[in-house]
Amino acid sequence: MSRLIVVSNRVTVPDKSGAAPAGGLAVALKAALGERGGIWMGWSGKSSGDREPEALSLQTHGNITYALTDLTDTDVEEYYHGFANRVLWPICHYRLDLAEYGRKEMAGYFRVNRFFAQRLAPMLKEDDVIWVHDYHMIPLAAELRQMGFKNRIGFFLHIPWPPADVLFTMPVHEEIMRGLSRYDLVGFQTDHDLANFEGGLVREGIAESLGDGRISSFGRTFRGGFYPISIETAAFADYARRAANNALVRRARQSIEGRDLIIGVDRLDYSKGITQRIDAFERFIRANPAHQHRVTYLQITPKSRSEVPEYEQMQRTVAEQAGRVNGAISAVDWVPIRYINRSISRPVLAGLYRMAKVGLVTPLRDGMNLVAKEYVAAQDPENPGVLVLSRFAGAARELTGALLVNPYDIEGTAHAIARGLNMPLEERQARWKRMMDHLLEHDVMRWCDDFLKDLTAP
Ligand code: GDG
């Protein structure tokens, strides 16, 4: 079996004990790398200031080598904050209004990808299979091809791919599309993303669809496919069952004093629809006096990308909004919204999912959304909660037992919250079982195997 080389912006290096850190993606990639032996390369997350980064830092655990590089301040600013997070992220989440184009940032993005390719090249063997992850790294294959590498190279995009009319607002869209055509397999989260990609290329006359996922474009034939990412379903279910006894989870249960718990868990990001969700919760409370005093909505929102102005602004907006709604609808003995603006531990998270009668997952646009899958896996089969899920999350293509909502429709979401809280046990069990059976069969190991099988197919 060929070696596997994984390249992603960030690398999850095991801690001193050698154990993989929590999180499905890291577990699956570590398993795939362990099976074949290989290298996981990416950015250390650190800056070398204005000095050229030192040689790669290599750490070997078993048959896996973790290869990390620092980046200069300018690289971090232009490649990471600038182009990846202020152009590709908003565009792929349909937020044309938030994209900030600058020639410097675009150039920085391509330059850093060339730098990654140059650092990777000396480590590569002829029959290595290379798997590149996410929007930070689109031009990597083109750089490697230019250096003469003929290896199998696959790409998986963790975020949505927009339709042509959205994508083409980005000045360098053609170079980005050409970059993708240099892979052998380009994987998306859902059939919709793949259709946007293929349809956009064909509509603009820059590709021909050859059927069976094969696409001919920019002088090359490659394949497109969709591979919905997932979680370690069985392990997470077991974890959540045990987490119910966690001391902090028990204290949280006591503190809600028998009220119904509604939970939301999202990185602080404008794509997650947090402000619309708080509006929907307020609407639900106002429209359903019988539920007043009887619910607690817990929103866990760790900070992310605080260096990017839109995120810093959003942090203030959400905090103010939660405060305003609490001020308006609280009573002396009841505070409806608990807003936590930092990360909590994984066992506590699992226990809280299991305690919640409703999981509110309402992004405006999301590649997949693993919180939705974790919420389902964490439920008690005897008394499962209800998932309220945005139809614009990739997960909605699979989790058909959820109450699907349009997150822009505040009243519709408020109605779904009420329906979830009032749903009879039998219906909750039937809906949950449908989703859980699917997730047990389609877990993250299966995702990884399916992608690699297609990438290495003759
Ligand atoms: C990108 C795509 C796609 C969150 N808060 C805490 C915490 N989390 C964990 C969740 C979950 C993960 O973070 C978030 O995953 P998502 O999938 O929901 O979202 P993104 O970070 O936007 O991920 C997304 C994903 O890539 C994979 O392809 O699904 O669409 O945007 O695992 O549990 N974990 C802990 N404490 C927290 O406070 N421990």
Side-chain angles (χ1 to χ4, degrees), residues 87-103:
V87 175
L88 285 172
W89 179 273
I91 288 291
C92 288
H93 290 86
Y94 299 58
R95 290 300 300 269
L96 307 185
D97 56 321
L98 296 183
E100 285 276 342
Y101 301 112
R103 303 281 150 189

Side-chain angles (χ1 to χ4, degrees), residues 131-190:
W131 188 1
V132 179
H133 286 261
D134 229 358
Y135 60 103
H136 316 84
M137 297 282 174
I138 294 173
L140 195 74
E143 294 295 342
L144 290 171
R145 299 282 184 228
Q146 205 150 30
M147 294 161 83
F149 287 97
K150 304 233 167 354
N151 303 55
R152 279 291 161 98
I153 316 181
F155 177 81
F156 182 76
L157 184 72
H158 290 257
I159 65 176
W161 189 261
D165 286 336
V166 174
L167 183 77
F168 287 15
T169 59
M170 184 169 70
V172 282
H173 67 267
E174 194 164 325
E175 229 167 320
I176 292 291
M177 304 276 255
R178 186 180 296 114
L180 286 170
S181 74
R182 294 311 185 244
Y183 289 90
D184 296 297
L185 175 64
V186 179
F188 297 93
Q189 297 274 24
T190 68

Side-chain angles (χ1 to χ4, degrees), residues 275-312:
T275 58
Q276 289 81 353
R277 193 182 312 163
I278 295 176
D279 282 345
F281 176 75
E282 181 181 9
R283 189 74 62 96
F284 152 75
I285 288 292
R286 291 190 187 280
N288 294 274
H291 284 282
Q292 281 178 22
H293 293 261
R294 293 186 39 209
V295 290
T296 297
Y297 164 30
L298 175 62
Q299 177 64 46
I300 298 166
T301 303
K303 293 181 182 138
S304 75
R305 305 178 192 169
S306 308
E307 303 82 357
V308 177
E310 290 78 23
Y311 289 75
E312 200 197 350

